[in-house]
Amino acid sequence: MTEKKISNWSSPIAFLIASIGSAIGLGNLWKFPYITLENGGGAFVLVYLLAVLIIGMPILIAELVIGKMGKAGLYQSVKQITSKKFWLVAGLIGTSSCVIVLSYYSVVAGWPLKYFIMSLTGEMANITSANSGKIFGDFVSNPMEIISYHTVIMALTTIFIWGEIKGIERATKVLIPLLGIFIAVIIYNGVTIYGHEKTTQFLFSFDLSTLTPASILEACGHAFFTLSVGFGALVVYSAHLPDNVSLTKYGIIIAIADTFIAICACFMIFPIILGSSIDITESISVLFTSITVQLNTNSLGSYIGGVFYLLIAFAALTSTISLLEVVVAFVNETLKIERKKATLLSAFVIWVLGIFSALSLGGSEFFTKIDFFGKLDWYVSNVALPVCGILISLLAGWIIDKKMITVLHNTNQKLVKTIIFALKYVSPLLVLVVFLYNLKLF
Ligand code: PHE
């Protein structure tokens, strides 16, 4: 057999940083602000926070336990911990979700890279509130350009995965602290110019009448995506942990850090939107239009903007790395293809799939018309993630519940019982409701 065990994290902190890096990504910095805008603010944020706490966090901890017990990627870990073949479905769904998500995530991750280059060439300084939308639209519908950036992101991701756990560590140890510093700078800049009052009010005034079934579902789905839950990403990371670390503690820290950064992202973007007269017609592009305009009001704006976009690309990169690692672990452990070959093969297949998404934003009439990108996103968010989430939850809550108590021996046992209760009943039921409703089955 060609399989080779890859090494462990150099320390639990390295694992923690990499996992936070996996969780923090475009979901926090790009998607959360725009779906919060679309769904009316405070009440939506409240549902999202509850979904993170009640549904996301228990499953996140379950994934860490599964990785710790199985010492492999999701599929092989499940195989190690139960002899019942049925549960392997979770491994297949989780791994294929990583293939699909990485293919379009890499496309979007190329956008901040493009804006970084624009700041270097001086083009960014010419962006105004009048032309920001058009500049963005022209970029995403230019096939050559958008595919090139997608290629760069996939290439960088592959390079880090090539270095295995050490490569992942090297990337995340530098990128995550830098990201934190720059988020703070951008918030400070926006809040001192535009004030924070309107943002605080928008985010924390809970007008329940703004909630609709659709917005509740979106909040629940996003809780999964943003925590990297339902993909096996955290399974593969915790597989390389030494014994005696408190998985519950780490799970809680990952969830808190991820949620904190999502709220920070709103404080980076909303002061500008709510405190100025920027008209946001396309909320999906908000990170690339309003932020650039705001930065340009400052004499150092282009420089700050350059680093800002570079760091968003970095945040995305720490997520693409974890997505690719799941796929490579599967190809290596299950299809028994040597790790380096597995890395190249997985990256190539995902790159090709990504091209179709890249072309569906105006670059190709056919792919735009069938909304290839949107369809993939719909399938993962509405089918794959909920199904995989329910399976992981039930597996942890019903099949390995006793073993979980042993693995989590260094956690307060009352808390462990609560987590297992959530995994047995609460999370699967809530996710099932979301799932059936989304498929319009009731
Ligand atoms: N959590 C990441 C984000 O919010 C996305 C992601 C999902 C990364 C699954 C890895 C695995 O952007």
Side-chain angles (χ1 to χ4, degrees), residues 22-28 105 225-228 231 233 319 322-323:
S22 168
I24 296 173
L26 296 168
N28 309 60
Y105 197 95
F225 184 80
T226 188
L227 292 176
S228 306
F231 291 84
S319 294
S322 78
L323 285 161

Side-chain angles (χ1 to χ4, degrees), residues 78 82-92 391 394-395 399:
V78 171
T82 167
S83 54
K84 300 205 181 65
K85 292 246 179 330
F86 166 75
W87 299 102
L88 291 175
V89 176
L92 293 177
L391 290 175
L394 294 176
L395 172 66
I399 310 289

Side-chain angles (χ1 to χ4, degrees), residues 401-419:
D401 50 331
K402 303 258 159 18
K403 292 185 199 143
M404 264 187 88
I405 297 179
T406 322
V407 176
L408 299 177
H409 65 92
N410 46 13
T411 303
N412 177 313
Q413 286 301 305
K414 266 209 188 101
L415 182 58
V416 175
K417 290 218 172 83
T418 313
I419 294 170

Side-chain angles (χ1 to χ4, degrees), residues 3 75 118 132 207 296 405 411-412:
E3 184 192 339
Y75 186 88
M118 279 167 72
S132 64
D207 176 3
N296 278 339
I405 297 179
T411 303
N412 177 313

Side-chain angles (χ1 to χ4, degrees), residues 69-135:
M69 286 170 64
K71 295 218 175 304
L74 180 59
Y75 186 88
Q76 284 301 326
S77 285
V78 171
K79 209 169 171 183
Q80 300 293 329
I81 59 182
T82 167
S83 54
K84 300 205 181 65
K85 292 246 179 330
F86 166 75
W87 299 102
L88 291 175
V89 176
L92 293 177
I93 299 181
T95 311
S96 56
S97 297
C98 289
V99 172
I100 296 171
V101 167
L102 180 53
S103 73
Y104 62 78
Y105 197 95
S106 160
V107 172
V108 182
W111 302 353
L113 204 57
K114 153 80 180 172
Y115 276 67
F116 166 66
I117 304 287
M118 279 167 72
S119 86
L120 293 183
T121 58
E123 280 169 89
M124 197 168 128
N126 303 327
I127 298 181
T128 62
S129 53
N131 67 11
S132 64
K134 179 166 172 8
I135 290 178

